[in-house]
Amino acid sequence: MKKLKFKKIKIKQKSLNGLFRYLFLIIISAAILATVLIALPLTERLSSSVAYDLVNKKDLYWSKEYELQLETEDSKEIQKDIEKTKSIIQKRLRLFGVEESSISNYEQDGIHSIRVSVQTSKSTDIVDTLIKSPFLLTIVTRKDDFNYEDQEDFLAPYLEENYNKTAFTRDEFRNIHITKLKNSSNEYSYFALFKTWPGKNEWEKFVQDNAGETVGTSIDGFVTPVQIPTDQSLFAASVSAQDKEQAYMINILYNSGVIPLNYNTTNEISKTPDIAQTNYIKLTEGILITVVLIYAYLLLVEKTPKETLIKSGLSTVITVSAWIAYLKITETHVDIFLLSILIITLIALIRIITENTESRIVVTVLIALIASICSLLGSGYVKIFAFDLLTLMIVANISLSFCVWYIANIRKSLKI
Amino acid sequence: MTLLNNLLQNWSRYEIYTELSLLLSIFVIILLTIYLVTKNRKMLLLSTVAYVVASLLNIIGIFLVHILLKIEITEVFRIIPIITYILLASNIGILVGFYISRKDAKGFKIKSIRKEYLSDSIKQTVFLVLLGASIMLFTSVQTKLVISISILSTLLSIWFTYWLSKYILK
């Protein structure tokens, strides 16, 4: 009987590599397509299990106007003190990231007042405290003849009038650091550590003299008792902060300057937020149509090499889609009008860094520098815009390098 | 909340100082970077003029919008100089990048980079005009104004810089 002989199939290393590359490119292409689909508007309706919807920050915004009546009787330089008070309140709001705030002052019947207007998506309670609290700090000591343990008067240990005021105010301290330390119940809670200027011997003497005693920090007339330890010269006042955000608020209040005038909030008016209305569905469709039309036009006029246009167009689509998909998946709250400005700027920049390869690093560095400065020194919308642009410039450069590799490999696989 | 009204009457020193320090820091750091990478005073002068012109055009643009269109200038308009500086940095960056790549070439003359700069500026202008014009259909009035002022200031500054380069890059 004749033996059947099968021909040995020899798989060449080269063709195996080609097959793997081909499969890998299919996966990559599918990932790109999925990213674009997630980024497109209304695609969240395709799947009931995942809500790929862009979360509009618009609903989080609130707006309010506060009237603060200043106590100027003891002031020697009223205008200077009013100016300083305005600056400190504005600094507090900006440090906390309030998007829009304006402060003006006026005088009526000899009474000086400040009007603070805010429009923000940040916590109402915290913004309220940042505006309404002068946060005037004084270190106080206990009166010898006063009963702080009186069960009937449980508020007594917390009222400033039951203590002796000292000369130590916020000005005496270089910095007040908010940190987590172990409390008497052996649990971690927030404390304010008071750090003095070098050479402030009076404070060191005060701490030594009161070692083992209970003194207090009085803020706006409300006292927090502080037990000074006997074994170390640490002055740590407990802080009523439950989370990081509240601790940050206390940090701002302690460290954004000393308000020279006491004040009271006389009026608060809630207002309707004035936010630029942008329909994100219309906007996304618009951006998509714009990009397609512009690139089609540039392709037709043949002033730019086709290769450059493909690279630029593809990296624009990938970068923008990846960003919108990220915002959708992480359910990040977005200012739609800011997103539109950001994307328009990005589209223009990607085109430039793609076309001018010799200038790519210079342009990227210059833009990264501007965005970094704005992230560090800016506030409100400028800070949000700059930080997002900085991230997107990094993504755009990665995406551009990826597109060069992707296009080259697609061509190789399809033998174009 | 009108930014312009506040700026003229009620801005606190903190706001004025922070805004000025932000814009001045961008100015100084960008110009310093350009000088450090090119080591060329002509490039530094050209970049300085471009940024000064763009800043002036921003101010004029915001005032015109406020006066002619009676539009409230809100905090959103603070982004205008930032977008302008970024778009302008991309244009100046092209010039600088081209200069760095060619300066060591045999027979290089600074004058020669003007031709390349012209071609790139035309492309950037066409792209920005198309992008700006088409996006107008889909955005809010405020966004339209922010984008328009930024793009127009950038383009006018780019072309003024190009015209000036005839005298500076000799």
Side-chain angles (χ1 to χ4, degrees), chain A residues 325-357:
Chain A
Y326 161 78
L327 294 174
K328 282 184 166 186
I329 291 166
T330 56
E331 294 180 8
T332 309
H333 290 94
V334 186
D335 286 300
I336 303 290
F337 75 93
L338 208 57
L339 180 70
S340 61
I341 297 173
L342 183 72
I343 289 175
I344 292 161
T345 313
L346 186 77
I347 293 170
L349 295 177
I350 291 178
R351 166 107 177 87
I352 286 164
I353 58 168
T354 316
E355 179 140 4
N356 303 280
T357 42

Side-chain angles (χ1 to χ4, degrees), chain B residues 82-146:
Chain B
I82 311 301
I83 302 173
T84 309
Y85 291 172
I86 284 169
L87 293 176
L88 196 59
S90 66
N91 180 264
I92 303 277
I94 296 171
L95 184 70
V96 170
F98 192 70
Y99 171 80
I100 295 168
S101 64
R102 302 288 161 91
K103 68 175 181 179
D104 297 326
K106 215 174 176 184
F108 168 76
K109 281 181 184 166
I110 197 161
K111 221 169 139 181
S112 66
I113 64 169
R114 277 194 79 233
K115 202 180 160 191
E116 188 72 19
Y117 182 49
L118 172 68
S119 146
D120 287 332
S121 294
I122 291 172
K123 283 178 189 170
Q124 194 178 6
T125 305
V126 171
F127 194 79
L128 282 177
V129 167
L130 285 174
L131 186 67
S134 50
I135 220 77
M136 291 294 148
L137 301 168
F138 314 103
T139 48
S140 66
V141 178
Q142 206 176 41
T143 315
K144 272 180 200 148
L145 290 170
V146 169

